[in-house]
Amino acid sequence: MARARAVRLAERHRLDITWLAYEIHPEVPAEGIEVRSGFDRVASLAEAEGIAFVAPQRLRNSAKAHQAALAVEHADPDAAERYHDRLYGAYWEEELDVSDPEVLVGLASDVAIDPDVLRRAVVHDELLPALRASMARAHEWGISATPSWLFDGRLVVPGAQDAEFMADVIRRLRERPVPDAH
């Protein structure tokens, strides 16, 4: 959902919005956990954005999904956004197990990446250091949750905020002069 919102915000306000690989719930074990709380706020944000969303019955660890996304971005940059959309659908619409390498390989069926290479990278956590580095970079910017938004490389907004709040943040950002690079 955050990616779809970011695309619209970037186009509408001519912003550079940086995406970093960042686990949704790094504390969730590989087998996932049963959901004990509602997703009412997220569901209302999704509805307002016209984005499909099904409150999950089970949270899944997203580390392998992020590694697969990083592999796809490297192997076939033109397919990266399409793959991210598929990951969203798998996690938040179909409740597929995005920690399952076969699910991740299946989502890349038309991507220019060797399925065996993708499978190996995910099974053996070969891109886990890259994911951890991305999260460390995010932490340096003060990001500690997902989604978080880095606007024009100079302002971080944490959380799933509504459109009115985001528009106000963008307006205020535009009013602030860009700091001197010196």
Side-chain angles (χ1 to χ4, degrees):
M1 177 170 44
R3 286 186 62 81
R5 294 182 74 210
V7 167
R8 283 198 286 282
L9 284 169
E11 289 171 354
R12 187 178 312 136
H13 299 283
R14 293 182 308 279
L15 286 170
D16 177 29
I17 300 177
T18 303
W19 179 85
L20 295 174
Y22 198 100
E23 289 183 76
I24 298 171
H25 294 284
E27 73 282 1
V28 172
E31 66 275 7
I33 58 170
E34 191 174 317
V35 173
R36 295 190 179 142
S37 62
F39 280 84
D40 296 340
R41 180 162 158 49
V42 176
S44 67
L45 286 170
E47 183 179 352
E49 293 286 331
I51 298 168
F53 173 80
V54 175
Q57 300 300 305
R58 187 163 198 78
L59 290 179
R60 305 287 182 175
N61 185 289
S62 63
K64 290 191 183 298
H66 282 291
Q67 291 177 74
L70 289 168
V72 166
E73 287 175 16
H74 178 74
D76 189 355
D78 293 336
E81 188 170 331
R82 185 172 73 247
Y83 190 74
H84 278 281
D85 289 344
R86 289 177 185 164
L87 284 173
Y88 174 87
Y91 194 99
W92 295 110
E93 295 172 21
E94 301 173 56
E95 279 202 85
L96 298 179
D97 182 355
V98 296
S99 66
D100 180 343
E102 294 311 312
V103 168
L104 299 170
V105 169
L107 294 173
S109 61
D110 64 343
V111 173
I113 188 169
D114 181 326
D116 292 329
V117 170
L118 179 57
R119 185 177 294 105
R120 186 196 72 224
V122 172
V123 166
H124 297 291
D125 288 322
E126 292 177 3
L127 294 173
L128 191 59
L131 173 58
R132 297 292 182 247
S134 179
M135 291 178 67
R137 183 175 172 207
H139 287 152
E140 290 171 7
W141 284 333
I143 295 170
S144 61
T146 183
S148 291
W149 311 78
L150 175 63
F151 291 114
D152 285 343
R154 58 191 182 117
L155 178 67
V156 173
V157 177
Q161 307 296 339
D162 63 37
E164 185 177 318
F165 177 84
M166 295 300 253
D168 187 51
V169 166
I170 293 165
R171 181 186 54 75
R172 290 174 185 228
L173 180 65
R174 294 289 188 230
E175 292 171 354
R176 292 174 42 195
V178 176
D180 222 1
H182 301 17

